[in-house]
Amino acid sequence: MSDLLHHLNAPQLQAVTLPPVHALILAGAGSGKTRVLTTRIAWLLATNQVGPAALLAVTFTNKAAREMTARLTAQVPINVRGMWIGTFHGLCNRMLRAHYREAGLPQTFQILDSGDQLAMVKRLQKNLGMDDEKYPPRELCHFINAHKEQGVRAAQAEVYDHYTQQRVDFYAEYEAQCNREGVCDFAELLLRSYELLQRNEPLRTHYQQRFKHILVDEFQDTNRLQYAWLQLLAGGGAKIFAVGDDDQSIYRFRGAEVGNMRDFEAQWCGDNIIRLEQNYRSHGNILAAANAIIQHNSDRLGKNLWTETGAGEPIRVFEGYSDLDEARFIVEEIRSLVRDGVLASQCAVLYRSNAQSRVIEHELFTQAVPYKVYGGLRFFERQEIKHALAYLRLLGNPDDDTAFLRVVNFPTRGIGARSLENLQAAAHQMNCSLYNAAASLSGKAAQTVGAFVGLIERLRNETAALPLPEIIEHVSEVSGLLEHYRREKEGQERLDNLNELVSAAATFIDAEGVIGEHGALADFLAHASLEAGEHQAGEGQEAVQLMSVHAAKGLEFDVVFLSGLEQGLFPHENAVNEGTAGLEEERRLMYVAVTRARQRLYLSSAQSRMLHGQTRYCVPSPFFSEIPGELLLRLNHTRTPYPASNRQADTAGGWDGSASTVAGWRIGQSVEHAKFGAGVIVACEGRGADARVQVNFGGGAGMKWLALEYAKLTPL
């Protein structure tokens, strides 16, 4: 027994050895929550307080469930394979398999993954004659899943307009079709399991009497239905041991309800709250910064991370003149760290939006630094980017059959598989490209494929005299790509990436200066292919890790670069527009990002950023002001800019410190106004008493022209 408990600190020991009571374990980042959860199970088994069959342990990922099982196997001499340890969906599937008749399911019911669900929705829409442009299939999937996660069937769904009524009617048809086929989507597993327990009293009583202890990992990520399912199971006297961190609740967009922790505290656990605050991951300065940031959130359950490892290094802050300057700094710093012996795999670059990865990827590629994009695709491999590039390829070379097949029916134009088979047969027979073979088709195929060919010809004519960034903008709009993703419930990220492609083109033109004989479009497509096809690190190769902050949760690295810390980017503009709830979730996301770092943390921003092909001037993130100044080491108080490399944004912005200045103030300079707060000068004009500057104060006051004779500005 002593071997089981000797490695625990005092709060951990208290949590593990609690008597049979409801308890909430507030486990901060890096505080050993998984250790506490698994040791609690092992201790209950080792002390014979409960048998393996009377335990239920639930988490959110299969990986976490496997890790929990592996740790238990090492801790107790008991076969844990038969224990109820798994994800919410996995355990609900297990329950429904055992009681399929009571649940109204066939014994061999199948589970639809997200792709299968989307395919069924599309098929059902076609059968019902439903307009898939007015009611996008992905949006319908989201509508159905969101209702199921709230425990709401089609019959109980709230209807407040005709559009919603149509979606609710489709939800009902979708339910009926799933029942006819004997299939369940992921959301259905949990909802049907909950309904089974709710209406079947003997079965509910059986499980309530069976499970004496219910242990929940990542409790802050539970949605309302998951919490209700746990409450049902615990209704017979089982004790819930909930481990989580309200400061790391960052999945509100997926339905996670941080309020579940407060509800559980009030309704179930009373005073049985244990805070795990000792951190075993990060140095003191990093934790002090994280504590300072998160304390600005309201309604926290409250905790304060600390460590015995010492303060460590200060947090390094870098402000680039541009997003390219920021990327160059990050890559140069990584190269220097690697030369000093730091493993590349222990260097992570985090960003709020996946679109930000493009400029960083470009610089890593340019400097021949191997990298991997964790939990996502490299920029030029993303679906929407490949679609846009396929259209661009057809402008330059209509005989490109690969590009043709990729977008001939995307967005959908009513071109079916049979039409494409006929087209490919005709092209083979005539020994020509699909594009040229289109003229030989007849009937409906001739009409639909011919319309696509006409679209490409129209785009070629309309873009002939346009600069490269405007070509991409025009093609993305007229092809229907932008509208397609605008209609998607979660299409904003894809729209951001398409906008970033425009910026990539503008940067490419500025950097290259002289375009080759084949023209800007051909050169840019070659550039995109090269970056897409090379330099992703191979399996087992040391490589820098790139990822969004959301993807970084649960991971840790020796060195973390947190980029793009600007108002509107992080915190994200969309979240800020949601009010206090949105801003507080962004702050929790910042807290998660900071606590990924073990030894060294870099925070970086840019004074200007290329967005949608245009240079935008940025205001530093308010999160900077929430970190005590004594924790920060500013790296570039006297820094001179990188060479502009023909990039007009740099020279036009006057970064050389002499051009575009007035009365000692310069474009790009950060300033503070007593009324409007912090901002960045974006324009200067006039002399003497007529001198004035235009300042971007961000989301608060916005753009303001200020007369320097009267405006009292303070340089930052």
Side-chain angles (χ1 to χ4, degrees):
M1 185 58 65
S2 60
D3 290 343
L4 192 62
L5 305 177
H6 81 278
H7 60 289
L8 302 176
N9 62 37
Q12 290 174 338
L13 180 63
Q14 183 187 358
V16 166
T17 57
L18 277 171
V21 293
H22 298 297
L24 178 61
I25 313 302
L26 284 177
S31 63
K33 66 177 178 63
T34 305
R35 172 191 295 179
V36 166
L37 193 67
T38 54
T39 308
R40 169 72 171 176
I41 298 173
W43 183 77
L44 290 170
L45 293 171
T47 54
N48 297 315
Q49 297 187 53
V50 67
L55 284 166
L56 176 79
V58 59
T59 185
F60 275 85
T61 66
N62 290 317
K63 180 183 177 184
R66 287 193 299 269
E67 182 182 348
M68 197 180 298
T69 303
R71 289 195 183 195
L72 276 175
T73 303
Q75 288 179 308
V76 291
I78 295 174
N79 187 353
V80 299
R81 289 191 177 275
M83 292 178 61
W84 282 61
I85 300 175
T87 64
F88 278 99
H89 293 115
L91 295 175
C92 287
N93 174 58
R94 182 171 176 174
M95 185 176 290
L96 293 175
R97 296 288 176 190
H99 309 286
Y100 64 90
R101 290 191 184 89
E102 295 89 341
L105 291 167
Q107 185 174 5
T108 57
F109 73 87
Q110 298 298 308
I111 300 172
L112 300 177
D113 63 21
S114 55
D116 295 330
Q117 184 188 29
L118 181 61
M120 175 180 279
V121 166
K122 289 179 177 179
R123 187 171 67 251
L124 192 56
Q125 276 189 289
K126 187 175 182 181
N127 294 341
L128 296 172
M130 191 176 190
D131 186 353
D132 61 359
E133 292 192 1
K134 187 175 181 181
Y135 302 94
R138 289 188 186 277
E139 208 296 308
L140 284 174
C141 288
H142 184 274
F143 178 84
I144 292 167
N145 294 338
H147 277 75
K148 287 186 178 184
E149 288 168 0
Q150 293 294 319
V152 179
R153 291 290 186 190
Q156 295 98 39
E158 183 180 348
V159 177
Y160 38 84
D161 57 29
H162 177 72
Y163 183 74
T164 305
Q165 181 66 65
Q166 291 294 105
R167 293 191 294 173
V168 169
D169 291 345
F170 181 85
Y171 179 13
E173 291 287 347
Y174 172 83
E175 281 187 313
Q177 184 65 28
C178 286
N179 289 331
R180 282 193 293 272
E181 296 185 19
V183 296
C184 291
D185 55 48
F186 283 141
E188 181 71 19
L189 290 173
L190 186 63
L191 179 55
R192 193 167 291 232
S193 178
Y194 173 78
E195 291 173 340
L196 174 64
L197 292 172
Q198 191 181 45
R199 70 170 181 265
N200 193 316
E201 185 178 355
L203 197 62
R204 181 172 69 251
T205 303
H206 164 75
Y207 281 106
Q208 287 177 342
Q209 291 177 350
R210 172 177 178 164
F211 296 125
K212 304 301 182 185
H213 290 267
I214 299 173
L215 302 99
V216 190
D217 194 14
E218 304 286 5
F219 192 72
Q220 77 279 352
D221 292 336
T222 55
N223 61 35
R224 293 201 178 277
L225 184 59
Q226 288 163 340
Y227 185 39
W229 184 77
L230 292 169
Q231 287 177 301
L232 266 184
L233 287 172
K239 304 305 179 184
I240 297 178
F241 184 89
V243 182
D245 183 3
D246 57 325
D247 291 334
Q248 294 190 75
S249 180
I250 59 173
Y251 295 120
R252 191 163 61 105
F253 65 95
R254 294 181 186 170
E257 180 53 64
V258 68
N260 286 346
M261 296 190 75
R262 290 191 291 273
D263 291 346
F264 179 68
E265 176 198 18
Q267 299 169 15
W268 290 77
C269 73
D271 294 329
N272 297 319
I273 300 177
I274 296 174
R275 290 170 170 82
L276 306 183
E277 298 175 305
Q278 184 175 357
N279 179 281
Y280 295 93
R281 175 189 300 160
S282 306
H283 287 166
N285 286 337
I286 295 170
L287 298 180
N291 290 331
I293 292 166
I294 201 63
Q295 72 178 9
H296 288 81
N297 274 7
S298 59
D299 296 325
R300 294 175 60 229
L301 293 169
K303 64 183 178 312
N304 201 57
L305 297 178
W306 61 277
T307 181
E308 291 181 341
T309 60
E313 302 178 26
I315 297 167
R316 292 161 168 81
V317 177
F318 175 83
E319 186 179 23
Y321 296 92
S322 65
D323 50 351
L324 181 59
D325 189 39
E326 180 192 27
R328 283 171 171 167
F329 165 76
I330 291 171
V331 175
E332 284 186 3
E333 200 71 9
I334 289 171
R335 292 180 69 191
S336 175
L337 289 166
V338 171
R339 283 195 299 269
D340 291 341
V342 177
L343 295 176
S345 58
Q346 285 301 320
C347 298
V349 184
L350 311 186
Y351 32 78
R352 175 64 180 85
S353 169
N354 280 311
Q356 292 171 248
S357 78
R358 198 272 311 167
V359 67
I360 300 168
E361 285 187 62
H362 172 74
E363 193 60 29
L364 288 165
F365 170 81
T366 303
Q367 298 296 325
V369 178
Y371 70 93
K372 287 184 177 179
V373 178
Y374 181 89
L377 297 169
R378 288 177 297 165
F379 182 79
F380 286 108
E381 290 178 343
R382 294 167 191 168
Q383 179 203 82
E384 59 279 10
I385 299 301
K386 296 188 77 165
H387 287 328
L389 292 176
Y391 278 105
L392 296 172
R393 285 163 57 182
L394 287 175
L395 296 189
N397 177 21
D399 295 331
D400 187 335
D401 285 354
T402 303
F404 186 97
L405 286 171
R406 183 173 190 90
V407 294
V408 65
N409 199 40
F410 191 93
T412 53
R413 301 183 175 87
I415 302 173
R418 179 61 59 88
S419 296
L420 290 178
E421 286 174 8
N422 293 337
L423 178 62
Q424 288 174 301
H428 180 73
Q429 187 176 357
M430 299 166 63
N431 194 26
C432 66
S433 66
L434 298 174
Y435 194 90
N436 290 328
S440 66
L441 295 177
S442 59
K444 184 186 177 184
Q447 182 181 353
T448 53
V449 178
F452 174 72
V453 170
L455 170 66
I456 299 300
E457 290 297 327
R458 172 191 164 193
L459 288 172
R460 185 182 290 109
N461 292 330
E462 290 174 349
T463 59
L466 295 179
L468 181 60
E470 292 182 31
I471 292 176
I472 296 173
E473 280 188 292
H474 189 77
V475 168
S476 298
E477 187 65 64
V478 175
S479 66
L481 281 178
L482 293 180
E483 183 58 32
H484 173 81
Y485 292 120
R486 286 188 193 113
R487 294 198 309 266
E488 282 194 357
K489 180 70 177 179
E490 299 181 7
Q492 186 57 51
E493 186 172 299
R494 298 192 187 278
L495 290 172
D496 291 343
N497 284 332
L498 287 171
N499 290 338
E500 184 60 27
L501 184 63
V502 179
S503 299
T507 302
F508 175 77
I509 294 296
D510 291 341
E512 293 299 314
V514 179
I515 300 298
E517 60 183 25
H518 303 294
L521 178 58
D523 286 0
F524 178 69
L525 290 172
H527 160 79
S529 297
L530 288 170
E531 287 213 9
E534 294 182 15
H535 236 65
Q536 180 88 331
E539 200 63 37
Q541 184 182 358
E542 276 294 315
V544 178
Q545 307 294 304
L546 269 61
M547 66 195 74
S548 69
V549 179
H550 279 101
K553 187 174 180 292
L555 304 176
E556 55 187 74
F557 304 91
D558 288 345
V559 182
V560 168
F561 295 83
L562 181 53
S563 63
L565 279 168
E566 299 135 30
Q567 181 70 39
L569 194 55
F570 198 4
H572 199 278
E573 184 179 12
N574 294 344
V576 173
N577 292 337
E578 294 175 5
T580 302
L583 180 59
E584 291 200 346
E585 175 121 341
E586 289 294 292
R587 191 173 284 114
R588 291 195 293 270
L589 198 57
M590 179 71 179
Y591 176 84
V592 167
V594 169
T595 53
R596 296 313 93 195
R598 285 195 286 254
Q599 298 171 9
R600 185 179 287 197
L601 174 64
Y602 293 82
L603 307 178
S604 64
S605 63
Q607 293 180 350
S608 70
R609 189 170 294 276
M610 187 77 75
L611 296 171
H612 205 69
Q614 298 180 341
T615 300
R616 307 285 178 86
Y617 294 95
C618 309
V619 174
S621 170
F623 295 148
F624 280 116
S625 64
E626 296 178 359
I627 302 174
E630 61 268 21
L631 301 177
L632 305 177
L633 173 64
R634 299 189 180 273
L635 300 180
N636 60 330
H637 276 308
T638 59
R639 186 177 175 85
T640 57
Y642 284 98
S645 302
N646 296 321
R647 184 163 176 171
Q648 295 175 358
D650 288 342
T651 57
W655 301 126
D656 63 0
S658 59
S660 299
T661 63
V662 61
W665 302 95
R666 62 174 175 81
I667 292 176
Q669 187 173 0
S670 297
V671 297
E672 187 169 20
H673 187 272
K675 180 179 179 181
F676 304 128
V680 176
I681 298 175
V682 299
C684 306
E685 65 179 35
R687 291 185 176 181
D690 296 326
R692 64 175 191 160
V693 293
Q694 189 181 29
V695 184
N696 183 357
F697 291 104
M703 290 285 195
K704 299 287 185 184
W705 277 104
L706 302 173
L708 290 174
E709 188 175 4
Y710 306 106
K712 303 301 180 184
L713 295 177
T714 305
L716 293 177

